[in-house]
Amino acid sequence: MARAQGARSQLAAAFETVYGTAPAGGFTRMPFAASTLSAEQPLLSSELLGYGRDPLAPVKDAITADGDLTIPIDAEAFGFWLKATFGSPVTTGASPGPYTHNFETGNWTLPSMAIETGMPEVPRFAMYSGVMVNQLSWTMQRSGLLTASAQLVAQGEAVASTSQAGTPTDYDLRRFGHFNGSIERDGVALGNVISAQITYANNLDRIETIRNDGMIDGADPTIAALTGQIEVRFADMVLMNQAIAGTPCELEFAYTLASGESLTFTAHAVYLPRPRVEISGPQGVQATFDWQAARDPITSRMATITLVNSIEEY
């Protein structure tokens, strides 16, 4: 008997036209490293008395469908997740490319997706409809594999023994690495950085109305949040002086491939807290800044994400 193996699992995704309704086609096979996307329905223990010490049968509670998806940060497929997180981009360029996709924060309308995870050897194919990105985060560091974590909220799950995604298309995998990364502050390279963490949250509000299927009615974006952390070797007072003054700066996190593809995440107004600076031994002194971004009055948004690749549209 065949047993499920992660190495044989697959994932396909497509944007929905109507929330909660998976499209009949147009799916794309997506690269991923791990997935906890699933549905669960707990049981409520009976509170009734009068039938002895043994409890009566439990009843089903509401369905919750959500989870995290670990995905590579690459030059093509990552644009799909950027659209799901920030909304449709403004794309410029002409055939045969390159094309520049500009994503902006602040959109009130975000697209929903249908995502199918498959285990062909069981067989089990789970179609999740009404999927939206609640949070997208990743870490910049000196070495290792560069991946992002997408926190997903779905309406529900439908399980079948055959795939409902048809024959999905593929993106070409052109993966960024930590070696391709750089950080700038107000247009100048920021030195002495050990690691940096970026988290963008849509803070989705689940619409938990009364339904006969136990699913949610939707998920509405509320006030967004862009936060992160910068860990630096304490070598100068540039960041500390900014934290003391309480003034914002622009932080740019970028990746560039030799073939020309690039990803640039620009937070336009970043505020730094005043951190503790501790001398814990003979090694170098480090400081950690837990930064927060806000709406920039000049650009009228919190952040701009620019992806340059050969994809004509998302």
Side-chain angles (χ1 to χ4, degrees):
M1 185 178 90
R3 293 176 175 84
Q5 293 181 334
R8 296 188 61 184
S9 61
Q10 55 195 25
L11 185 146
F15 288 107
E16 297 176 335
T17 302
V18 178
Y19 175 82
T21 303
F27 282 81
T28 303
R29 183 167 58 175
M30 308 297 292
F32 73 107
S35 173
T36 62
L37 179 61
S38 187
E40 63 178 351
Q41 187 174 24
L43 297 175
L44 299 176
S45 299
S46 175
E47 83 287 17
L48 301 178
L49 307 175
Y51 292 85
R53 291 187 59 229
D54 294 337
L56 297 178
V59 295
K60 294 181 178 181
D61 201 4
I63 297 174
T64 300
D66 55 20
D68 295 337
L69 197 62
T70 303
I71 51 179
I73 298 182
D74 73 313
E76 293 192 2
F78 197 62
F80 182 94
W81 302 109
L82 291 176
K83 178 180 177 179
T85 305
F86 301 102
S88 297
V90 175
T91 301
T92 57
S95 181
Y99 299 93
T100 300
H101 311 278
N102 284 308
F103 303 85
E104 298 179 357
T105 58
N107 288 321
W108 284 103
T109 302
L110 300 177
S112 62
M113 302 171 285
I115 296 178
E116 183 185 74
T117 58
M119 303 176 194
E121 67 277 10
V122 174
R124 181 185 189 271
F125 295 87
M127 179 68 76
Y128 300 92
S129 56
V131 184
M132 299 181 69
V133 176
N134 186 45
Q135 181 177 291
L136 185 68
S137 63
W138 72 92
T139 299
M140 299 183 72
Q141 55 194 23
R142 185 174 183 272
S143 63
L145 294 172
L146 178 58
T147 59
S149 177
Q151 187 184 94
L152 307 176
V153 173
Q155 183 185 47
E157 174 192 70
V159 178
S161 58
T162 58
S163 174
Q164 305 301 303
T167 303
T169 58
D170 286 313
Y171 285 115
D172 291 333
L173 185 60
R174 293 183 173 88
R175 192 169 183 179
F176 295 110
H178 289 294
F179 178 77
N180 309 117
S182 63
I183 303 175
E184 291 187 356
R185 176 186 177 274
D186 289 338
V188 179
L190 184 62
N192 301 300
V193 179
I194 297 172
S195 66
Q197 195 267 335
I198 303 101
T199 299
Y200 179 81
N202 280 313
N203 291 320
L204 298 177
D205 179 26
R206 303 188 196 212
I207 306 174
E208 298 178 331
T209 56
I210 299 174
R211 295 169 54 119
N212 59 6
D213 56 10
M215 300 180 184
I216 63 173
D217 240 5
D220 291 341
T222 61
I223 299 299
L226 177 57
T227 60
Q229 187 179 87
I230 297 179
E231 186 177 1
V232 299
R233 278 296 183 101
F234 198 68
D236 56 51
M237 290 291 291
V238 173
L239 296 180
M240 184 63 75
N241 287 339
Q242 179 190 333
I244 294 173
T247 55
C249 71
E250 182 179 85
L251 287 182
E252 180 183 284
F253 309 92
Y255 301 95
T256 304
L257 295 178
S259 52
E261 295 87 355
S262 65
L263 171 65
T264 305
F265 190 105
T266 305
H268 298 292
V270 173
Y271 294 83
L272 303 176
R274 183 169 179 172
R276 297 173 64 92
V277 180
E278 300 178 352
I279 303 173
S280 56
Q283 293 82 13
V285 177
Q286 297 179 185
T288 300
F289 295 85
D290 294 316
W291 56 269
Q292 299 180 30
R295 181 182 181 274
D296 176 51
I298 298 177
T299 61
S300 299
R301 57 183 176 273
M302 185 162 54
T304 302
I305 305 89
T306 302
L307 179 63
V308 179
N309 58 24
S310 59
I311 302 298
E312 187 173 358
E313 63 178 354
Y314 284 98

